[in-house]
Amino acid sequence: VVLNELMDKLVAPSLPGNERMMIQAELRVLLNNQTEILNRLTSAYTSYLRSLGDFDFARQQLFGQSEKFANFLDKRLLWVPSSNPIGLNFITGLYQASLWLLSPHHWFGLIKDLGYSARENLFFAIVALMSIVILRMLKVWAKTELSATTEKIDKIYTDSFNLTIKALVCTFILASQMPLLFFYASLFLTLPGNISEFGNAIGTGLGAAAIPYLLIQFFYKLFRPQGIAHKHFLWREQTVKQVSQELRWVRYIAVPCFFLIAVGTPLPFSTISDHLGRLAHIIVMVSLALFLGRLLKPNNGLLTHLILENKNGWLTRLRIFWYPGIVVTPLIIAGFAIAGYYLSALELQHKLIVTLRLIMANLLLHELVMRWLTLANRQLALKNARQKRKTAAAQISKPAGGSSDDPIIPIDEQLLDIPKINAQTKTLLSVFIGFSLIVGIWMIWRDILPAFSFMDNIVLWQHLQIIDSQETFQPVTLTNLLLAGLYVFMVIVAVKNFSGLMELLIFRQISAEAGTRYAVNQLAKYGLVAIGFIIIANELGGSWSQVQWLVAALSLGLGFGLQEIFANLVSGIIILFERPIRVGDTVTIGDISGKVSRIQMRATTLTDWDQKELIVPNKTFITGQMINWTLTDQITRVVIPVGIAYGTDIEMAYKVMIETVKSTPRVLTEPEPNVLMVGFGASSLDFSIRIFVSDLSGRLAATHDLHMRLNKAFKDHNIEIPFPQRDIHIKTAPPGALNSPVIEQNLPSPADACINNGSST
């Protein structure tokens, strides 16, 4: 069929029959050859795919074996000696290494190598020279700015957090000049064009010493007298002086030792590293132990004031453990080097130095946050002072004998609780610093502490999980349980201290009412709890497929037995969003009146005028009738009825009442008060005095004050407030009627015949 199609498509019908037969025969041969080649190609592809499968299987086997071998090395390589223990031969090798290092021939060659590298890399040499010159010029500027910032932070109205950042930048500039020279020298000596072993070794040593030199010099200047630690971070002068003294001598030992340790690294022979480098390693570890021992001494060290202030704290009680442990750790590492485990000692030294850098970085971060917190607290204190001044100004017009029946101040007028906010922020900061230290130390030491991997092998239970559309059982190990416990702790701390952090980070910068702040904080806490629950459940093997039946059961229960609780929960969320009531509002529900002190998920707490706390379900506020006296405006009206005797001059009485009302301090002039005659009573002419007061706390005080003033004004103008009057008519009985037995039974007693009750007869 294919042959016929090709003949019809490619061969012209006009050709003679014999030629068409010849072409057809050739095409048949070609098609047969093509079929054979395709069959061979298919076989080759099949073989190739089989080879790829075998290769992939072998590669996976190789990766598995490499991982097992790596784990084996991680567990045992640290305890494999790399050198001979220090003995008499060590002195001979040290002498030869010193001759090599101090050889004048090598140093003259080093100068030539440095000049040659600079000529070969002229552009980089010019950039390095310009950067050094610029840094030298910036050094003068940094000294001037550092002095200026020190003067500004001593004044409250010129102090700011930006000054601390500027001071840190200036300190870094002052500390980076010599380390930058080390870095450039190392860069030019270790370029690929440099073939001198001595120059390459010296360049490697300078590069390894540059970063420790920069960090030690930076912290030395940070703790100098009248420096950042003393002026900005408010460290004690004695503490700053002690740290500065310790850093002064340790930098002259640590930097040369780091240089000597790294010098022998690129050399093909180990004499320099095993002898000169090992001696430098031992010296730097002993110096570090001495430095930490003198700096952290419990009696007169860096932590002495913390120990004295918290005599029952864990820092004080465990000092017999942590202090010897800190001092002995560098000595143990030095002992490793002495015993011949030099490579293991170098690895441990590197981990220890990185750990110290992590601690110092967290210390610097802690002090920066505390500095910012101090300035933020100062702003909050100024805000409180302005609020006090505003409250005092608002009460100037109130008399000294005002009513104390309403002791509750609306929350929008209350002062911020600075100590509570400060404590919450410090707690969050401590937790964050502690968590970062734990995670950082674990990341640093995890590759040489494989023994802790046993927790991954302790399976507590298994849970069903769908992976790639297949159901598999995944283990929940002891590590997952510990992480879940850590997440629980973090969620609890975050929920308890979130409001203080929000007050400092957000609400301090914007104008927000207390009700808004409370609603945002509550909703954020609910969100944190929900997120924490999801993370913890996921860590312990929970998933939607496993809890959906529980959700369905809860939904059914909410629809029947728990509908009231669910209604209250939803009503609480509606209250936080819609805000028909706010914390600090004064409300009346039925015969209950009080101030809203807390709005929670299920119920709202009211504090009445007797300081009793009333728990009202949230559903009552949403579905029932409620009076909110302070929702949009705290101005309320007070109606006072007054009655005067018949025959009084009405116009004079009106004039006296309106003048008395307007002269009362607590009565607002806008809206304007008024006095209205509302009717003719049985015993008096009835008037209604209608006044407005600025807040609920002034209602009783204004009523009391106005009653006192009206009574005095009526006495001064002889205006009588009448008593209720009753008329009694006495009829005389006919003679002899009193002797009638029927009348005697109906005669009232003498007490019943006198109807007084405050009336006139």
Side-chain angles (χ1 to χ4, degrees):
V1 177
V2 176
L3 180 61
N4 294 331
E5 290 180 355
L6 289 176
M7 289 294 297
D8 296 339
K9 183 177 180 181
L10 299 177
V11 180
S14 58
L15 288 177
N18 57 350
E19 293 183 2
R20 289 179 61 86
M21 293 294 295
M22 293 177 60
I23 293 174
Q24 184 175 1
E26 292 292 334
L27 282 176
R28 182 178 287 106
V29 173
L30 291 176
L31 288 175
N32 291 333
N33 292 336
Q34 183 183 24
T35 303
E36 183 181 359
I37 292 173
L38 289 176
N39 291 332
R40 293 170 58 186
L41 182 61
T42 302
S43 177
Y45 274 128
T46 303
S47 177
Y48 179 66
L49 290 175
R50 189 181 299 108
S51 300
L52 284 179
D54 295 340
F55 174 75
D56 182 66
F57 177 76
R59 184 172 61 87
Q60 292 179 1
Q61 293 291 327
L62 178 61
F63 285 162
Q65 293 296 329
S66 341
E67 186 175 357
K68 292 180 181 179
F69 187 66
N71 294 331
F72 179 82
L73 290 179
D74 288 339
K75 294 179 180 179
R76 294 169 176 81
L77 189 60
L78 188 65
W79 316 112
V80 176
S82 58
S83 305
N84 295 323
I86 291 180
L88 295 177
N89 294 331
F90 181 78
I91 300 177
T92 304
L94 185 63
Y95 175 73
Q96 295 176 356
S98 300
L99 291 179
W100 175 84
L101 180 64
L102 300 177
S103 172
H105 174 71
H106 288 162
W107 284 99
F108 284 126
L110 176 68
I111 297 174
K112 293 180 181 180
D113 291 340
L114 189 61
Y116 173 77
S117 180
R119 289 193 302 270
E120 291 295 323
N121 302 275
L122 185 60
F123 175 74
F124 292 105
I126 294 174
V127 172
L129 182 61
M130 291 179 60
S131 63
I132 293 174
V133 172
I134 293 174
L135 187 63
R136 183 68 181 177
M137 297 171 61
L138 288 175
K139 186 176 181 180
V140 179
W141 171 83
K143 289 182 178 179
T144 305
E145 290 295 324
L146 204 56
S147 301
T149 55
T150 304
E151 295 177 358
K152 290 180 180 180
I153 63 172
D154 291 333
K155 301 176 182 179
I156 296 179
Y157 294 101
T158 58
D159 192 10
S160 68
F161 186 72
N162 293 331
L163 295 177
T164 303
I165 301 299
K166 182 185 289 186
L168 288 174
V169 173
C170 294
T171 303
F172 183 81
I173 292 174
L174 293 176
S176 60
Q177 186 173 3
M178 288 301 297
L180 187 64
L181 287 175
F182 280 22
F183 172 75
Y184 282 139
S186 171
L187 181 64
F188 285 109
L189 289 174
T190 55
L191 287 174
N194 186 15
I195 59 176
S196 172
E197 290 183 353
F198 184 80
N200 193 17
I202 297 298
T204 304
L206 291 174
I211 294 179
Y213 190 12
L214 174 63
L215 295 177
I216 295 176
Q217 192 72 3
F218 173 76
F219 280 100
Y220 173 71
K221 293 185 177 298
L222 192 72
F223 288 96
R224 67 182 179 84
Q226 304 298 317
I228 296 178
H230 178 54
K231 287 292 185 179
H232 295 255
F233 298 156
L234 302 179
W235 281 42
R236 291 176 172 84
E237 185 176 358
Q238 182 62 30
T239 303
V240 172
K241 183 179 179 181
Q242 184 180 8
V243 176
S244 178
Q245 289 176 351
E246 298 300 330
L247 288 173
R248 182 181 302 165
W249 67 266
V250 78
R251 58 178 176 168
Y252 295 117
I253 297 176
V255 176
C257 287
F258 283 119
F259 167 77
L260 293 176
I261 291 172
V263 161
T265 303
L267 298 177
F269 50 92
S270 61
T271 304
I272 306 300
S273 177
D274 284 345
H275 297 83
L276 196 61
R278 186 151 42 146
L279 178 63
H281 169 78
I282 295 172
I283 293 174
V284 75
M285 287 293 100
V286 173
S287 301
L288 182 60
L290 182 61
F291 170 77
L292 294 176
R294 296 178 60 177
L295 194 62
L296 301 177
K297 193 173 182 180
N299 295 333
N300 55 356
L302 188 63
L303 304 177
T304 302
H305 67 282
L306 294 177
I307 293 175
L308 294 177
E309 292 175 358
N310 302 278
K311 293 184 179 181
N312 296 324
W314 66 268
L315 192 66
T316 304
R317 290 180 293 179
L318 300 180
R319 64 183 183 274
I320 60 175
F321 298 104
W322 60 261
Y323 179 70
I326 291 175
V327 176
V328 170
T329 299
L331 298 179
I332 293 176
I333 297 176
F336 271 65
I338 295 174
Y341 297 88
Y342 179 51
L343 293 180
S344 301
L346 285 179
E347 183 67 19
L348 293 174
Q349 172 202 301
H350 174 71
K351 302 296 184 184
L352 182 60
I353 296 300
V354 174
T355 303
L356 290 177
R357 292 176 183 175
L358 175 65
I359 294 174
M360 296 304 293
N362 279 273
L363 176 63
L364 182 59
L365 176 63
H366 178 272
E367 294 303 323
L368 284 173
V369 176
M370 291 301 297
R371 162 74 172 159
W372 172 80
L373 181 61
T374 301
L375 295 176
N377 285 340
R378 184 182 299 171
Q379 292 182 5
L380 292 178
L382 292 175
K383 183 178 180 180
N384 275 357
R386 296 189 190 99
Q387 186 62 47
K388 289 180 180 179
R389 192 180 300 116
K390 177 182 176 182
T391 305
Q395 293 185 353
I396 288 178
S397 59
K398 297 182 180 181
S403 172
S404 60
D405 291 339
D406 187 3
I408 302 173
I409 303 173
I411 197 68
D412 290 337
E413 300 296 330
Q414 289 182 353
L415 303 178
L416 296 173
D417 191 353
I418 296 179
K420 180 179 179 181
I421 295 172
N422 195 10
Q424 290 177 344
T425 308
K426 286 183 178 180
T427 302
L428 285 177
L429 176 62
S430 300
V431 171
F432 174 77
I433 294 295
F435 181 73
S436 62
L437 281 175
I438 292 173
V439 173
I441 292 174
W442 179 77
M443 294 289 291
I444 293 170
W445 292 89
R446 63 175 181 173
D447 55 344
I448 63 172
L449 296 176
F452 287 101
S453 61
F454 75 93
M455 292 188 296
D456 293 333
N457 300 325
I458 301 178
V459 179
L460 303 178
W461 64 82
Q462 293 183 342
H463 64 96
L464 189 63
Q465 188 174 358
I466 299 177
I467 300 177
D468 296 334
S469 302
Q470 295 183 354
E471 293 184 351
T472 58
F473 285 95
Q474 297 295 323
V476 176
T477 63
L478 182 60
T479 302
N480 299 120
L481 184 61
L482 294 177
L483 288 175
L486 180 62
Y487 294 150
V488 170
F489 172 73
M490 293 175 60
V491 169
I492 292 174
V493 173
V495 170
K496 292 180 63 177
N497 301 279
F498 183 78
S499 58
L501 184 64
M502 289 290 292
E503 196 68 49
L504 287 172
L505 292 180
I506 299 178
F507 296 132
R508 185 173 61 88
Q509 307 292 338
I510 62 177
S511 178
E513 296 179 354
T516 303
R517 297 198 301 267
Y518 183 85
V520 171
N521 288 332
Q522 288 297 107
L523 292 176
K525 288 179 181 179
Y526 300 154
L528 287 175
V529 171
I531 294 174
F533 177 78
I534 293 173
I535 295 176
I536 295 168
N538 184 58
E539 194 67 36
L540 297 179
S543 62
W544 174 251
S545 60
Q546 294 176 334
V547 301
Q548 57 185 356
W549 62 271
L550 180 61
V551 174
L554 285 176
S555 301
L556 187 62
L558 292 174
F560 292 96
L562 303 178
Q563 56 181 347
E564 289 296 326
I565 296 178
F566 186 70
N568 288 322
L569 295 178
V570 175
S571 299
I573 298 176
I574 293 175
I575 288 174
L576 290 177
F577 276 104
E578 187 179 302
R579 300 183 65 204
I581 58 172
R582 304 160 301 182
V583 174
D585 284 348
T586 302
V587 299
T588 297
I589 300 179
D591 57 349
I592 299 175
S593 295
K595 187 200 76 167
V596 179
S597 57
R598 286 190 301 273
I599 301 176
Q600 297 175 325
M601 283 292 291
R602 189 195 64 83
T604 297
T605 303
L606 301 183
T607 304
D608 66 2
W609 315 135
D610 296 329
Q611 293 299 308
K612 294 183 298 185
E613 291 187 339
L614 308 173
I615 310 301
V616 181
N618 290 329
K619 180 182 176 182
T620 307
F621 295 96
I622 300 301
T623 60
Q625 292 184 350
M626 174 193 63
I627 299 175
N628 190 335
W629 297 85
T630 57
L631 181 60
T632 57
D633 192 357
Q634 295 193 15
I635 296 177
T636 56
R637 190 181 72 169
V638 179
V639 179
I640 301 174
V642 177
I644 63 175
Y646 279 96
T648 306
D649 188 349
I650 296 179
E651 294 182 357
M652 181 187 68
Y654 173 80
K655 182 178 180 181
V656 169
M657 284 188 284
I658 195 65
E659 289 178 354
T660 303
V661 169
K662 291 184 177 180
S663 62
T664 304
R666 294 181 182 272
V667 176
L668 298 179
T669 58
E670 183 64 35
E672 183 179 4
N674 51 50
V675 179
L676 302 174
M677 182 176 178
V678 295
F680 298 92
S683 304
S684 63
L685 300 173
D686 296 334
F687 285 82
S688 176
I689 300 177
R690 303 179 181 185
I691 62 174
F692 293 88
V693 293
S694 59
D695 51 40
L696 289 176
S697 62
R699 290 175 62 89
L700 293 178
T703 304
H704 167 78
D705 193 10
L706 188 55
H707 282 165
M708 299 290 289
R709 291 170 178 269
L710 285 173
N711 184 58
K712 185 176 182 302
F714 286 167
K715 285 183 179 180
D716 293 342
H717 293 84
N718 297 320
I719 299 176
E720 181 183 356
I721 300 177
F723 294 101
Q725 297 181 3
R726 297 291 185 270
D727 293 334
I728 299 177
H729 301 278
I730 299 177
K731 295 183 179 179
T732 303
L738 294 176
N739 296 326
S740 174
V742 179
I743 296 178
E744 287 181 358
Q745 294 177 0
N746 296 325
L747 281 177
S749 65
D752 295 334
C754 180
I755 303 175
N756 193 352
N757 193 20
S759 63
S760 59
T761 303

